Amino acid sequence: MARTWLRIRVDLLGGGGIDCDPSPGRVFLVGPSHTFEQFAEAIDAAFARWDLSHLHEFNLKDGRVIGYPDDSYAPELEWLDHAKLKVAKEVKPGEEFEYVFDLGDNWRHRCTVEPEKGDPVEEYGIVPNVPAPIWGWGSIPDQYGRWAFDPDEEEDDDLGNLD
């Protein structure tokens, strides 16, 4: 397969009152037919987002805002529909843009389209139906700043324990 897929590096800069230094990140393969909606879902999964009930947006360098059009949030913005726009048609190698998850907690990500394109079979093993992470680094903070398990706290029986 030809090297036709974009390789996009995504660095988590911070959010929810946290600045990530150093920033954790992931590199994704994004195919020619993948939408910004699919890319947002892939980023959220790769950065361990578990409460997906929040709005998100992509901010391109030319000022366009791509996301879930919701007139109740920032009706003055002209949102472009994330389900319709293809990533590979809107960004090019060498360009940077921003992804923000949870517009209240403002989890900011810098997205950099790498200069070299990728081959999904060579780098991922198959041709995935959605954008796929192929490399990652760093510790991912919980989106609400909580820990899954704190050994210093007593066990809470309200967490679904049957006894």
Side-chain angles (χ1 to χ4, degrees):
M1 172 170 264
R3 291 186 167 271
T4 58
W5 286 41
L6 295 178
R7 292 172 50 97
I8 302 178
R9 175 184 171 136
V10 179
D11 292 282
L12 176 60
L13 304 177
I18 298 170
D19 286 326
C20 296
D21 185 25
S23 61
R26 304 288 181 261
V27 174
F28 293 85
L29 284 176
V30 181
S33 67
H34 295 151
T35 65
F36 279 93
E37 178 180 31
Q38 291 171 313
F39 189 36
E41 290 170 357
I43 293 171
D44 293 342
F47 283 89
R49 307 278 157 60
W50 52 271
D51 180 355
L52 302 175
S53 64
H54 300 284
L55 293 176
H56 63 261
E57 66 185 18
F58 289 93
N59 298 293
L60 303 187
K61 288 291 183 183
D62 63 8
R64 290 181 293 160
V65 179
I66 301 169
Y68 178 79
D70 182 352
D71 291 336
S72 66
Y73 178 82
E76 71 280 1
L77 290 179
E78 184 179 324
W79 291 75
L80 300 173
D81 190 345
H82 65 175
K84 293 180 180 174
L85 293 177
K86 309 282 190 245
V87 177
K89 290 187 185 232
E90 305 302 326
V91 299
K92 302 294 176 237
E95 291 183 357
E96 282 189 9
F97 57 100
E98 180 183 56
Y99 173 66
V100 179
F101 171 79
D102 186 345
L103 303 182
D105 279 343
N106 199 35
W107 288 98
R108 301 168 329 279
H109 307 75
R110 180 181 52 241
C111 303
T112 307
V113 184
E114 293 186 348
E116 297 293 322
K117 292 193 175 182
D119 179 336
V121 173
E122 185 179 302
E123 297 184 69
Y124 190 67
I126 62 168
V127 177
N129 294 332
V130 295
I134 58 169
W135 187 252
W137 59 92
S139 297
I140 305 295
D142 178 77
Q143 74 185 74
Y144 292 119
R146 298 180 279 201
W147 293 94
F149 174 72
D150 186 344
D152 295 331
E153 291 183 14
E154 290 186 31
E155 196 170 318
D156 184 355
D157 283 335
D158 291 336
L159 297 176
N161 295 338
L162 297 176
D163 14 294

